[in-house]
Amino acid sequence: MSDDPNPDQGWYYNTRTHEVEHLERSRGVDLLGPYPDEATARRALDITRERTRQADAADRSWDGD
């Protein structure tokens, strides 16, 4: 965990531990976020899946498929 005296106020989802973190955070490589609140951070994997699905659909339409 970081000892930053002015931590980011966002909420993060840790993909390694599957925990939500706020203020003191783990390594950035393990985190998704920031999110505006704890409830949204808990939905991080669902949000990421939906964004990926939307991006894939946009790529397919751009390619003309």
Side-chain angles (χ1 to χ4, degrees):
M1 295 284 184
S2 139
D3 290 329
D4 187 342
N6 297 306
D8 178 343
Q9 297 298 308
W11 292 82
Y12 294 81
Y13 180 81
N14 187 314
T15 59
R16 185 176 48 80
T17 65
H18 308 284
E19 298 289 330
V20 171
E21 300 180 2
H22 181 62
L23 301 180
E24 290 191 24
R25 294 187 316 276
S26 299
R27 303 175 322 147
V29 69
D30 295 326
L31 302 177
L32 297 175
Y35 295 97
D37 54 50
E38 182 178 5
T40 306
R42 290 196 183 285
R43 294 183 31 249
L45 293 179
D46 293 332
I47 291 167
T48 301
R49 283 185 199 105
E50 179 58 22
R51 288 179 180 166
T52 299
R53 186 195 64 73
Q54 291 174 355
D56 289 347
D59 286 348
R60 282 191 300 276
S61 68
W62 188 81
D63 288 340
D65 291 344

